[in-house]
C-alpha cells in the first residue's frame, strides 16, 4: 500500500520561507513526484513536478520562488518555498505517479499572513 506523508507546513509571514517534505513508502522503483495545492474555493493546481528522469516543471505563479528536489535513496521529495506571498496560502498535496497510477498525500496547510 502506497503511503505519502507530508510535513513542514505552517504559518509564515509574507516574504518568509518554508520547506515541505513528502516521504513515500510502499512503492518500489522510479516514479514522478510532485506538489499540488488547493486554496479555499479554488481548484487544485500544479506547483512543481520532478520526473523520474529529473526533469522539472513549475506552475507559473511559483516560478523563480519555489524549488523542487528529491532524494531517491529516501523516497522523499522536497519543496523549498521562498518569498512567500499571501496568495500562496493553500493546502499542499504531495503526488506520486507510477504506471499511470496517481497517489496523493493527506495534505499540509501553508498559511502566509502577517
Amino acid at each position: 500500500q502506497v503511503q505519502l506523508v507530508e510535513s513542514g507546513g505552517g504559518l509564515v509571514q509574507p516574504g518568509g520561507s518554508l520547506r515541505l517534505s513528502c516521504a513515500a513508502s510502499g512503492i518500489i522503483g522510479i516514479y514522478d513526484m510532485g506538489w499540488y495545492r488547493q486554496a479555499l474555493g479554488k481548484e487544485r493546481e500544479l506547483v512543481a513536478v520532478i520526473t523520474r528522469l529529473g526533469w522539472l516543471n513549475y506552475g507559473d505563479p511559483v516560478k523563480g520562488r519555489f524549488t523542487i528536489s528529491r532524494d531517491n535513496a529516501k523516497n522523499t521529495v522536497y519543496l523549498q518555498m521562498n518569498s512567500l506571498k499571501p496568495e500562496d496560502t493553500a493546502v499542499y498535496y504531495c503526488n506520486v505517479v507510477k504506471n499511470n497510477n496517481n497517489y496523493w498525500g493527506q495534505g499540509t496547510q501553508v498559511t502566509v499572513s502577517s
Side-chain angles (χ1 to χ4, degrees):
Q1 182 178 356
V2 177
Q3 278 194 313
L4 304 178
V5 179
E6 299 123 333
S7 60
L11 173 64
V12 64
Q13 293 186 342
S17 298
L18 281 177
R19 189 192 194 208
L20 305 183
S21 299
C22 172
S25 61
I27 188 168
I28 300 173
I30 306 173
Y31 39 87
D32 299 345
M33 304 183 81
W35 293 93
Y36 290 74
R37 68 186 183 185
Q38 188 166 17
L40 199 62
K42 295 187 177 181
E43 294 185 354
R44 191 171 296 190
E45 64 175 359
L46 168 72
V47 176
V49 169
I50 181 166
T51 72
R52 60 194 184 278
L53 299 178
W55 296 343
L56 308 179
N57 187 31
Y58 292 95
D60 286 341
V62 308
K63 286 181 179 177
R65 300 187 296 122
F66 291 10
T67 303
I68 189 170
S69 60
R70 64 190 292 169
D71 184 336
N72 290 331
K74 296 182 179 179
N75 289 342
T76 299
V77 62
Y78 305 96
L79 185 68
Q80 179 66 43
M81 305 185 292
N82 298 329
S83 302
L84 283 160
K85 305 175 182 180
E87 50 264 45
D88 294 318
T89 295
V91 178
Y92 284 69
Y93 296 92
C94 178
N95 172 258
V96 164
V97 179
K98 184 176 181 183
N99 298 332
N100 294 322
N101 292 315
N102 266 282
Y103 304 96
W104 295 94
Q106 80 284 357
T108 184
Q109 177 70 45
V110 171
T111 302
V112 185
S113 175
S114 55

